[in-house]
Amino acid sequence: MVVHAMSPSVRLQEMIRVIRGARTQGEERGVIQRECAAIRAQFRQADNGTRSHNLAKLLYVHMLGYPAHFGQMECVRLIASPRYNEKRVGYLGAMMLLDEKQDASLLITNSIKNDLSHSSQYVQSLALCTLGCMGSAEMCRDLAPEIDRLLRASNSYIKKKVSSLCRHTHTHTMPLLSSRLHVLHGAVVLITELCERNPETLEQFRKAVPELVQIMKGLVMSGYSPEHNVAGISDPFLQVRILRLLRILGRNNETASDAVNDLLAQVATNTDSSKTAGSAVLYETVLTVMDIKSESGLRVLAVNILGRFLLNNDRNIRYISMTSLQKIVQTDHNAVQRHRGTIVDCLKDQDASVKRRALELSLALVSAVNIRSLMKELLLFLSSCPPELRAHTTSGIFNAAERYAPSQRWHIDTILHVLTTAGGDVRDETVPNLIQLITTATELHCYTVHKLYRALIADISVQSLVQVACWCIGEYGDLLLRGECEETEPVQVAEDDVLDALETVLQSHMSSPATRGFALTATMKLSTRITHNVDRIRSIVSIYGSCIDVELQQRAVEYNALFKKYDHMRYVIVYEKNGVTLKLQTDRQTDTGMTITLTATNSTDREITSLTLQAAVPKSVQLQMKAPSGDVIPAHGLGQLNIHFLPNQVSLKMRVRVCYTSQDFVCQDTVQIDSFPSPAW
């Protein structure tokens, strides 16, 4: 489409049509720049009868966001014009282009003063509206006598304009409550403004509460009035204004609140909520009920009104309903709880703002009673919620689980579910918090390490989940290798399987430096919990001693040092059966010999008796065995036996016979030990 240049005399409607027809913002700017240039030229010419026409076009340009300040002086000229059509556009321009900070606003003070004394009520109303819109405190003080005179006038049209303007006096406001509806609306607005700006006037205007109640009852119970009826509601604008004023007057005042309670119940039960006008009145009623000292039954009624709003097809009404419920959920928790199902359904709403409000309200409704059922809904929502809500959802779920978790297992399962679903959106402190929770849940260590291992081999993209899994495997890898877990289906996991999983994390491009640190530390920890793959662990750790990541390199170097200097302190498990575990540890090695300790532990609930340990070595090695600490190992206890060898250059091998009695059975086994910690020999 080609945009044609417009002549200066083009009509406002034609200018609007051409601007709206512009295909790009550049075309629009071009049209407006040409028109503004023509308007400037017209302003510089003598009065040719087009000033109001040009200013009207300039005001439209201003509404589109373009500069229009050069029209300020034209507003002053038109206001001073004797013609009503020019004066009207001039005042409109003053309200849009001027404010109390503009110097030009001072120039119209005298014109406003003259127009307040004009013979036409319409000119007077123009001056009053402009003064109320952009008048400064100085202007209002200068024009106070004229305003006071108009307030005493009998003209209801002018009284309505003055009522919405007067904020500095309340001498004549009380009688205005007896005026007709249009003037009454202005009077209520004036009293509301006075009460909000000057709390000292509250006591005086509380005397008007009975009169306001009667006016409101008349509106609620009145019949059809075509002049003021909106969708079957009698003057809903006035009803909303009166309710708002009653809320201000009844706040923190029992006497005023008691006088209003019956009225609020009447409005709540007699107003139709199927139309927007009725919903507006009911919403204002709810706000008033919640803000004054109302009766408990009335508060429940207000919550039920908000509950009905949740079923409304209008999303705006559903939104304001949940916003209001959010404010009162702490004080009226049980009443709001009755609408939990409807609130949860709003989580499926297509509107993002409604979803957010529904989420906040659902989280506020979580309690020890409904934690299981409501958490299912929240976890279901998490799986499909918008990305911008995931962080808030995960944070709320974690807080609720920490506060109301019915059991530690449920708590752990819930957090792991969140990490699996939205692990990339959780807070930084989630990992240490979960590690702390797992640490304290002693009886769930086996269950947790199995569950996290399965999660790790299934997906290593969620960094927070991988970090917790690596930590757990490093701490409780022996429970994983045992394959015995009452809480979950037993899975036989080999040492190589676990190391393969950790090495995959270390080598993955998806792993962050922090995650690799967790995996490397877990690998090192496993060197004390496995028996056949210590050399592989040593090899894995040594590789990262030259890693370009400084943190990872430092860890690898330190772990290598532990292998070299303190390997003799490591237990290597030589026997494990029937709850009895036999561990071998090198205590010290000197030029005169070497001492090792065999430690027997009992992990069962019954006592182990008649324990004997016999050792045999090659003839080239001299063996000295000290007396054991005892032949009885209590339930969940331990016993020790020290063995001293004289040095020899041949490889050390030893055969140990273990005999013990546990309740009704006697066990006798022989163990062949072919390797010892490297510093030991």
Short mmCIF file of all heavy atoms in Angstrom, two decimals, residues 264-285:
data_model
loop_
_atom_site.label_atom_id
_atom_site.label_comp_id
_atom_site.label_asym_id
_atom_site.label_seq_id
_atom_site.Cartn_x
_atom_site.Cartn_y
_atom_site.Cartn_z
N LEU A 264 -23.94 -6.36 54.47
CA LEU A 264 -23.05 -7.16 53.63
C LEU A 264 -23.65 -8.53 53.35
O LEU A 264 -23.53 -9.05 52.24
CB LEU A 264 -21.69 -7.29 54.31
CG LEU A 264 -20.90 -5.98 54.47
CD1 LEU A 264 -19.61 -6.22 55.24
CD2 LEU A 264 -20.60 -5.36 53.11
N ALA A 265 -24.28 -9.12 54.36
CA ALA A 265 -24.93 -10.41 54.16
C ALA A 265 -26.07 -10.29 53.14
O ALA A 265 -26.27 -11.17 52.29
CB ALA A 265 -25.45 -10.94 55.48
N GLN A 266 -26.80 -9.17 53.22
CA GLN A 266 -27.91 -8.94 52.30
C GLN A 266 -27.41 -8.77 50.87
O GLN A 266 -27.98 -9.34 49.92
CB GLN A 266 -28.69 -7.70 52.74
CG GLN A 266 -30.02 -7.52 52.07
CD GLN A 266 -30.82 -6.38 52.68
OE1 GLN A 266 -30.36 -5.71 53.59
NE2 GLN A 266 -32.02 -6.16 52.18
N VAL A 267 -26.34 -8.00 50.70
CA VAL A 267 -25.78 -7.80 49.36
C VAL A 267 -25.25 -9.13 48.80
O VAL A 267 -25.45 -9.46 47.63
CB VAL A 267 -24.64 -6.76 49.41
CG1 VAL A 267 -23.97 -6.64 48.04
CG2 VAL A 267 -25.17 -5.41 49.86
N ALA A 268 -24.59 -9.90 49.66
CA ALA A 268 -23.98 -11.16 49.22
C ALA A 268 -25.02 -12.17 48.76
O ALA A 268 -24.76 -12.97 47.85
CB ALA A 268 -23.13 -11.75 50.34
N THR A 269 -26.19 -12.16 49.35
CA THR A 269 -27.22 -13.16 49.03
C THR A 269 -28.21 -12.69 47.97
O THR A 269 -28.94 -13.51 47.41
CB THR A 269 -27.98 -13.56 50.30
OG1 THR A 269 -28.49 -12.38 50.94
CG2 THR A 269 -27.07 -14.29 51.27
N ASN A 270 -28.25 -11.39 47.68
CA ASN A 270 -29.26 -10.87 46.75
C ASN A 270 -28.69 -10.32 45.45
O ASN A 270 -29.44 -9.78 44.64
CB ASN A 270 -30.09 -9.76 47.44
CG ASN A 270 -31.01 -10.30 48.51
OD1 ASN A 270 -32.08 -10.83 48.23
ND2 ASN A 270 -30.58 -10.18 49.76
N THR A 271 -27.40 -10.45 45.25
CA THR A 271 -26.78 -9.91 44.04
C THR A 271 -26.46 -11.05 43.08
O THR A 271 -25.85 -12.05 43.46
CB THR A 271 -25.49 -9.13 44.39
OG1 THR A 271 -25.81 -8.09 45.32
CG2 THR A 271 -24.88 -8.53 43.13
N ASP A 272 -26.87 -10.87 41.84
CA ASP A 272 -26.65 -11.88 40.81
C ASP A 272 -25.21 -11.80 40.31
O ASP A 272 -24.75 -10.76 39.85
CB ASP A 272 -27.63 -11.64 39.66
CG ASP A 272 -27.48 -12.68 38.56
OD1 ASP A 272 -26.82 -13.72 38.79
OD2 ASP A 272 -28.03 -12.45 37.45
N SER A 273 -24.50 -12.94 40.38
CA SER A 273 -23.09 -12.96 39.98
C SER A 273 -22.89 -13.42 38.54
O SER A 273 -21.76 -13.57 38.09
CB SER A 273 -22.29 -13.88 40.91
OG SER A 273 -22.76 -15.21 40.82
N SER A 274 -23.98 -13.65 37.81
CA SER A 274 -23.84 -14.15 36.44
C SER A 274 -23.40 -13.06 35.47
O SER A 274 -22.92 -13.35 34.39
CB SER A 274 -25.17 -14.76 35.96
OG SER A 274 -26.19 -13.77 35.97
N LYS A 275 -23.57 -11.79 35.85
CA LYS A 275 -23.16 -10.67 35.02
C LYS A 275 -21.94 -9.99 35.63
O LYS A 275 -21.72 -10.04 36.84
CB LYS A 275 -24.30 -9.66 34.87
CG LYS A 275 -25.58 -10.25 34.28
CD LYS A 275 -25.38 -10.69 32.83
CE LYS A 275 -26.69 -11.20 32.23
NZ LYS A 275 -26.53 -11.65 30.84
N THR A 276 -21.18 -9.31 34.79
CA THR A 276 -19.96 -8.65 35.26
C THR A 276 -20.27 -7.58 36.30
O THR A 276 -19.54 -7.42 37.27
CB THR A 276 -19.22 -8.01 34.06
OG1 THR A 276 -18.94 -9.03 33.10
CG2 THR A 276 -17.92 -7.38 34.51
N ALA A 277 -21.37 -6.84 36.10
CA ALA A 277 -21.73 -5.79 37.06
C ALA A 277 -22.00 -6.39 38.44
O ALA A 277 -21.53 -5.85 39.46
CB ALA A 277 -22.96 -5.03 36.56
N GLY A 278 -22.72 -7.50 38.47
CA GLY A 278 -22.97 -8.16 39.76
C GLY A 278 -21.70 -8.70 40.38
O GLY A 278 -21.51 -8.62 41.60
N SER A 279 -20.82 -9.24 39.56
CA SER A 279 -19.54 -9.74 40.07
C SER A 279 -18.71 -8.63 40.69
O SER A 279 -18.04 -8.81 41.70
CB SER A 279 -18.75 -10.42 38.95
OG SER A 279 -19.43 -11.55 38.46
N ALA A 280 -18.76 -7.45 40.07
CA ALA A 280 -18.01 -6.31 40.61
C ALA A 280 -18.53 -5.92 42.00
O ALA A 280 -17.74 -5.66 42.92
CB ALA A 280 -18.12 -5.12 39.66
N VAL A 281 -19.85 -5.90 42.15
CA VAL A 281 -20.43 -5.56 43.47
C VAL A 281 -20.09 -6.63 44.50
O VAL A 281 -19.71 -6.32 45.64
CB VAL A 281 -21.96 -5.40 43.34
CG1 VAL A 281 -22.59 -5.21 44.71
CG2 VAL A 281 -22.30 -4.21 42.43
N LEU A 282 -20.19 -7.90 44.11
CA LEU A 282 -19.88 -8.98 45.04
C LEU A 282 -18.41 -8.99 45.43
O LEU A 282 -18.06 -9.25 46.58
CB LEU A 282 -20.27 -10.32 44.42
CG LEU A 282 -21.76 -10.63 44.37
CD1 LEU A 282 -22.01 -11.93 43.62
CD2 LEU A 282 -22.34 -10.73 45.77
N TYR A 283 -17.55 -8.69 44.48
CA TYR A 283 -16.11 -8.65 44.78
C TYR A 283 -15.81 -7.56 45.79
O TYR A 283 -15.04 -7.76 46.74
CB TYR A 283 -15.32 -8.43 43.50
CG TYR A 283 -13.83 -8.34 43.72
CD1 TYR A 283 -13.11 -9.44 44.19
CD2 TYR A 283 -13.14 -7.17 43.47
CE1 TYR A 283 -11.74 -9.37 44.40
CE2 TYR A 283 -11.77 -7.08 43.67
CZ TYR A 283 -11.08 -8.18 44.13
OH TYR A 283 -9.73 -8.10 44.35
N GLU A 284 -16.43 -6.40 45.59
CA GLU A 284 -16.22 -5.31 46.56
C GLU A 284 -16.80 -5.68 47.92
O GLU A 284 -16.26 -5.32 48.97
CB GLU A 284 -16.88 -4.03 46.04
CG GLU A 284 -16.30 -2.75 46.60
CD GLU A 284 -14.87 -2.52 46.18
OE1 GLU A 284 -14.53 -2.85 45.03
OE2 GLU A 284 -14.10 -2.00 47.01
N THR A 285 -17.89 -6.44 47.91
CA THR A 285 -18.48 -6.92 49.17
C THR A 285 -17.51 -7.84 49.90
O THR A 285 -17.31 -7.73 51.11
CB THR A 285 -19.79 -7.68 48.88
OG1 THR A 285 -20.69 -6.82 48.18
CG2 THR A 285 -20.43 -8.15 50.17
#
